[in-house]
Amino acid sequence: MDLVDFRPTRDQFAYTFGGATPVMRIRPGTALRLWTEDAFNFALQSVDDLASEKVNLAEVNPQTGPFFVEGAEPGDTLAVHIVDLTPARSWGASATIPFFGGLTSTDRTSTLQEPLPDTTWIYHVDSATNTVGFEPRFGGGPAVRLPIEPMLGTVGVAPAAREVRTSLVPDRFGGNMDTPEMRAGTTCYLGVNVEGALWSLGDGHYRQGEGEACGTAVEGAMNVTVIVDLIKDGGPGWPRLESDSHLMAVGSSRPLEDAWRTGQVELVRWFEQLYGLHHMDAYQLLSQLSEAPLANVVDANYSVVLKAAKHVMPAVSPYGGMHALMRERAASLGTITYD
Amino acid sequence: MDLVDFRPTRDQFAYTFGGATPVMRIRPGTALRLWTEDAFNFALQSVDDLASEKVNLAEVNPQTGPFFVEGAEPGDTLAVHIVDLTPARSWGASATIPFFGGLTSTDRTSTLQEPLPDTTWIYHVDSATNTVGFEPRFGGGPAVRLPIEPMLGTVGVAPAAREVRTSLVPDRFGGNMDTPEMRAGTTCYLGVNVEGALWSLGDGHYRQGEGEACGTAVEGAMNVTVIVDLIKDGGPGWPRLESDSHLMAVGSSRPLEDAWRTGQVELVRWFEQLYGLHHMDAYQLLSQLSEAPLANVVDANYSVVLKAAKHVMPAVSPYGGMHALMRERAASLGTITYD
Amino acid sequence: MDLVDFRPTRDQFAYTFGGATPVMRIRPGTALRLWTEDAFNFALQSVDDLASEKVNLAEVNPQTGPFFVEGAEPGDTLAVHIVDLTPARSWGASATIPFFGGLTSTDRTSTLQEPLPDTTWIYHVDSATNTVGFEPRFGGGPAVRLPIEPMLGTVGVAPAAREVRTSLVPDRFGGNMDTPEMRAGTTCYLGVNVEGALWSLGDGHYRQGEGEACGTAVEGAMNVTVIVDLIKDGGPGWPRLESDSHLMAVGSSRPLEDAWRTGQVELVRWFEQLYGLHHMDAYQLLSQLSEAPLANVVDANYSVVLKAAKHVMPAVSPYGGMHALMRERAASLGTITYD
Amino acid sequence: MDLVDFRPTRDQFAYTFGGATPVMRIRPGTALRLWTEDAFNFALQSVDDLASEKVNLAEVNPQTGPFFVEGAEPGDTLAVHIVDLTPARSWGASATIPFFGGLTSTDRTSTLQEPLPDTTWIYHVDSATNTVGFEPRFGGGPAVRLPIEPMLGTVGVAPAAREVRTSLVPDRFGGNMDTPEMRAGTTCYLGVNVEGALWSLGDGHYRQGEGEACGTAVEGAMNVTVIVDLIKDGGPGWPRLESDSHLMAVGSSRPLEDAWRTGQVELVRWFEQLYGLHHMDAYQLLSQLSEAPLANVVDANYSVVLKAAKHVMPAVSPYGGMHALMRERAASLGTITYD
């Protein structure tokens, strides 16, 4: 298995899906040890750094990539298996950015009200307890230690129809889905839209609540190990995820019910393919089986994850057993370390 | 502790929150052993019973109640603790009702398309494995056994502002929230709007997926044991739930993001009250801590549950320790049996 | 033609559709000269009256009625023809009520932001120019005179399914649709849900912009003359309006696209009935012909009006020529005067 | 005044805003006589041409342009004045494309239902009466002649933040707003995002109903005369329009209420700038004054137009009197003819 190490320089970051020059060509089946900058592009380093002053909103969610996958063509399926996510700094940052987030008016849900206070929180990593520390900024209330549960906010490929989209938006091509399910052990399946797929990732979160209410997670630089492979057909309509325990689909749209609809239909379609169920039977069965955690209600599109537990269903091997194969390859890498 | 047994006759069911004559007056602190009819009002008993022919949509979700709680006044908080839920039949039913459900056009999300097929599924209970059995109706695909996880679709009080609402709609007064969190061990806090509170419950589900995609769960008659108490102030804005592990709020509205917003704000407000946090700090903390499973995307209003794990937070006793007290009372009832 | 005069005393107002005792029984074909209080229930009489202090939100949109129509049964169609609307005071009021309106967060589109300022505007009537006067309250900018264009915010019947709804909400039963199309010369067709129909009206506006952005129009007491009749079948799914120039349907729901969908489908259905068009042809034709002004984006449900100009279509006589008949009857009343 | 004639060859069409090579550089103040292909890219020429077979959805709404405006820089305002729109063919086409449109489920409002029939309508132009003819395709119902009211579905510039968007989507950069207000006599103001502005236009409609219910108007090739100029600052947040009678803003988003919110806020902001009103007074005044016709409820984003009649307001000269200047220049061109 090829093993690539890549740590982008500042001028190598991409800020879009599509439209960026590939940083590297790789073969299907390659493992990559990568480094990702935080979503704020390292602009918030203390509670005194305010988003409105320091963050350039045209350069957030810097992407590591894009990578050109040899042989990838429109209609194929790209599989990105997350082997390991390890915080690359001793602290993460979160912020309430004026007119950005879920419990404020925004540039779309536009009102005439004043913004919420522009505020930054710094979460220090405690390796011994594997936690990050929340500390109140407005006086009153407890400091709280929260478990570190690393995940990636963005994994995506170049969009279809010649489009170039910012790394803030999730859609059919993946992108800024912001789901805690994008963790080590998960395989992400994305439909390929352009030659080479041109996938990238970034936006590491040391942890995030479902919905990402304020618009930002515990954002931090991340060491990332993934294995990438190619399946020569069957590009799914929307991103699909597989873990040892669940089959998942991610829908992204507005309003939020449309995000749910797209994700739920995608999971129905997957059940039809995997189990030979009629779509009405898959619909009925998933009505009783689906879990439906929100991913984000704050990005340009909202995202919902639809999950089905594997253990109640007959054993199947989606995409020719790709997830199991990825797990074996990941194990063969042994303990992952970063410089 | 008073212990009341009540099994409504067919003509005692209520189909609304508000507007129905109380079936009984009870004192705060009463335990009740109740029986609830299924959501279809027993109209679907085999796969040959079609919803369009058998189900009277003006008489679904029959409610057991309403009960008048002595001393309850507007502004109080009603606490309904679910002690036990036990399926009262050996089978449950589910159905795709024409133009009802999440992956079809409806009377609101109105299109010119044909409806999906009017179909009924019967799920047989297997007590030995504590499962219900799904069987495909359209040919192809596996039969699947799913764990029984009993819950109540509807728990609610009479609405404010003189309104009377059908038992199909969830809102501030609770009602048809359709969340799997409404299970044994959960305490539900509802703001009282009228003298006596006039609470009722019904719509037992032997199990339900999050979102209740097709619009109906595994619907079944249920034996229900609850303990009901009254807190003389602090009526919450939206329904709050408490389990041994989580604090929760339920938002219900359309579009789905508004359901999320109301529930997430309600949880922020509860964190302010419980922990002395400023609302901005509560917002930030919950952005990293909240779980956000969908409840339903199919009713007149959609519902989202916002959950916060207790174990990472300092110990608190919401509503004067009501949940712990309820757990003790429930334990004092010993093993629950039904005739 | 029977002619009824009715001016409710303060304790005769209704605040709901359904649930209120009829003030009077009338025969189909009756003309009524009525008086309606303003939406604020006369609580805002100067710019120093603040909504948060003076307005009782449980008693807004006071309804004149309900009236019991003899012979009206579920499935019938009630026709309410507006003969005349004449302001009954020399001023109207408007206000930005905290957390109410379109360009603010609300109890549903809930955020953590501060409310907009609680402000009242008084518009004086100038009969000579038939205008009301806007005067800036925050300094700067011109005073502006706006044409008086009287309309009724609410016209409705008792809802179906035993429901009782506040006079703030529009839905299938009509209610607080808040469209400028509800003006003198318009006939409103509503499906009857309960015996006697139990219709009422209120919420006079001296004028209103489409969308009613801030949540309140130029609210004023109104002298109202209507003629009411009954059509013994064909209850429409959603309110339909007819003027000399247009056929219209009003959809009310959330999100706003669902309000549009319901109204547009209702107009397609009406075109099928009136012109013998297949629904696909009606859909196509109305795609090129419909006008679609917003009514309100601020109530519990939003409302959209769908309009089709009559003059491009072959002549038809909806509901047996009811609108033309109403126009004749209205003319037979001669000049309308109020005491 | 420079006068440019440009009729693109088939390989010169652009299908995106941003990302396309300019076809020409022009100076501010240039008049252009252009030709635009229809939205289907000439794929539907008879009722036997089905969209699913003939239309390449990656190449619809072909754009004439983009044009590079010398001196245009981010933050500037581009003014595009429509002088004349003349149908360039003797017929237009409309279609119900499977899973596209307002009264069907779509790839976002996704359901499991069958699509509506894939159907094409051809509208023949009658120059004598200046009408197009609707003919039923499903049997039954009248043929109807509808007035020709030419408009452009798409006028836009390159987006901000490095994005490239398909010509199917409207947003801050303009694009596929699909409003009948984009007619001869209208000046469209767009914020410039990139050097040269890179504006284009296309998607001529011989007529369209508000909302564009079925997703397609009477689509036809168009002869287009515009004058383009540059204002060296003040780039509006969202597209603004000006006619002799109205000031307008166009909001585009999902859900539809967010499109309305953005447009209504933009009009409030414009009123602040033009009249010196406080935003609360502008909000109040526009609540009584705004007209709010829907533009489309069918594209990737929905669009709403907010309009304010000029005649009730004091006279102002937005953008230094640009609209009046454009009207003079247009008059100076005399009668427009096309080869």
Side-chain angles (χ1 to χ4, degrees), chain A residues 94 103 121 123 137-138 141 207 209-210 214 216-217 256-257 260 275 281 283-284 287-288 290-292 294 312, chain B residues 94 103 121 123 137-138 141 144 207 209-210 214 216-217 256-257 275 281 283-284 287-288 290-292 294:
Chain A
S94 192
L103 300 185
W121 288 260
Y123 287 77
R137 291 291 326 281
F138 290 82
R207 76 169 284 117
E210 293 169 359
C214 81
T216 58
L256 186 54
E257 56 263 42
W260 173 81
Y275 301 109
D281 281 318
Y283 181 33
Q284 169 58 221
S287 295
Q288 316 314 337
S290 292
E291 297 160 66
L294 297 182
V312 300
Chain B
S94 192
L103 300 185
W121 288 260
Y123 287 77
R137 291 292 325 283
F138 289 83
V144 181
R207 76 169 286 118
E210 293 169 359
C214 80
T216 59
L256 187 55
E257 54 263 42
Y275 301 109
D281 281 319
Y283 181 32
Q284 169 58 220
S287 296
Q288 317 314 337
S290 292
E291 298 160 65
L294 297 182

Side-chain angles (χ1 to χ4, degrees), chain D residues 188-253:
Chain D
C188 174
Y189 302 106
L190 297 166
V192 174
N193 300 300
V194 304
E195 216 179 313
L198 297 178
W199 67 273
S200 65
L201 52 74
D203 188 23
H205 296 168
Y206 295 177
R207 74 170 285 119
Q208 182 208 299
E210 293 168 359
E212 202 187 12
C214 80
T216 58
V218 181
E219 312 283 345
M222 195 77 82
N223 290 306
V224 177
T225 301
V226 294
I227 305 172
V228 175
D229 210 337
L230 189 66
I231 300 148
K232 281 304 293 178
D233 63 12
W238 288 86
R240 294 175 178 178
L241 307 181
E242 185 176 0
S243 68
D244 289 357
S245 62
H246 285 83
L247 299 171
M248 298 174 253
V250 187
S252 297
S253 193

Side-chain angles (χ1 to χ4, degrees), chain D residues 123-164:
Chain D
Y123 287 78
H124 290 282
V125 170
D126 180 67
S127 301
T129 58
N130 198 35
T131 58
V132 285
F134 162 81
E135 294 184 26
R137 291 292 325 282
F138 290 82
V144 181
R145 296 220 66 87
L146 303 170
I148 292 175
E149 299 181 4
M151 50 160 281
L152 290 177
T154 56
V155 177
V157 293
R162 304 177 179 83
E163 281 207 314
V164 174

Side-chain angles (χ1 to χ4, degrees), chain A residues 94-96 100-104 109 116-117 119 121 123 134-142 144-147 207-214 216-218 255-257 260-261 264-265 268 275-278 280-281 283-294 297 302 304 312-314, chain B residues 94-96 100-104 109 116-117 119 121 123 134-142 144-147 207-214 216-218 255-257 260-261 264-265 268 275-278 280-281 283-294 297 302 304 312-314:
Chain A
S94 192
T96 46
F100 184 79
L103 300 185
T104 172
T109 307
L116 294 173
T119 312
W121 288 260
Y123 287 77
F134 162 81
E135 293 184 26
R137 291 291 326 281
F138 290 82
V144 181
R145 297 220 66 87
L146 303 170
R207 76 169 284 117
Q208 183 208 300
E210 293 169 359
E212 201 186 13
C214 81
T216 58
V218 181
L256 186 54
E257 56 263 42
W260 173 81
R261 285 173 177 131
Q264 187 74 72
V265 166
V268 166
Y275 301 109
L277 288 161
H278 186 276
M280 289 299 294
D281 281 318
Y283 181 33
Q284 169 58 221
L285 177 57
L286 286 167
S287 295
Q288 316 314 337
L289 186 57
S290 292
E291 297 160 66
L294 297 182
V297 196
Y302 307 140
V304 182
V312 300
M313 297 296 298
Chain B
S94 192
T96 46
F100 184 78
L103 300 185
T104 172
T109 307
L116 294 173
T119 312
W121 288 260
Y123 287 77
F134 162 81
E135 292 184 27
R137 291 292 325 283
F138 289 83
V144 181
R145 297 219 67 87
L146 303 171
R207 76 169 286 118
Q208 182 208 299
E210 293 169 359
E212 201 187 13
C214 80
T216 59
V218 181
L256 187 55
E257 54 263 42
W260 173 82
R261 285 173 178 130
Q264 187 75 71
V265 166
V268 166
Y275 301 109
L277 287 161
H278 186 277
M280 289 300 294
D281 281 319
Y283 181 32
Q284 169 58 220
L285 176 56
L286 285 168
S287 296
Q288 317 314 337
L289 186 58
S290 292
E291 298 160 65
L294 297 182
V297 197
Y302 307 140
V304 182
V312 300
M313 298 297 297

Side-chain angles (χ1 to χ4, degrees), chain D residues 28-107:
Chain D
T30 298
L32 301 98
R33 239 173 351 200
L34 306 172
W35 183 90
T36 60
E37 184 49 278
D38 71 42
F40 301 119
N41 223 341
F42 202 43
L44 302 184
Q45 300 174 30
S46 88
V47 296
D48 298 324
D49 291 328
L50 297 185
S52 60
E53 294 170 6
K54 297 291 181 75
V55 174
N56 175 357
L57 283 172
E59 301 201 342
V60 290
N61 284 355
Q63 294 293 295
T64 297
F67 297 90
F68 184 103
V69 179
E70 292 179 0
E73 295 170 307
D76 292 347
T77 302
L78 187 78
V80 179
H81 179 73
I82 304 177
V83 178
D84 179 75
L85 298 175
T86 299
R89 288 202 184 102
S90 61
W91 54 273
S94 192
T96 46
I97 303 171
F99 297 122
F100 184 79
L103 299 185
T104 173
S105 54
T106 68
D107 71 328

Side-chain angles (χ1 to χ4, degrees), chain C residues 233-311:
Chain C
D233 64 12
W238 289 86
R240 295 176 178 179
L241 307 181
E242 184 176 359
S243 68
D244 289 357
S245 62
H246 285 84
L247 300 171
M248 299 174 254
V250 187
S252 296
S253 192
R254 290 163 67 100
L256 187 54
E257 55 263 42
D258 276 1
W260 173 80
R261 284 173 177 130
T262 51
Q264 187 74 74
V265 166
E266 185 69 22
L267 198 55
V268 166
R269 297 304 179 200
W270 206 5
F271 263 52
E272 285 184 73
Q273 296 166 3
L274 289 176
Y275 300 109
L277 287 161
H278 186 276
H279 65 260
M280 289 298 295
D281 281 319
Y283 180 32
Q284 169 58 221
L285 177 57
L286 285 167
S287 296
Q288 317 314 339
L289 186 58
S290 292
E291 297 160 66
L294 297 182
N296 88 77
V297 197
V298 294
D299 295 326
N301 284 320
Y302 308 139
S303 300
V304 182
V305 180
L306 279 300
K307 304 173 59 172
K310 288 177 169 180
H311 74 275

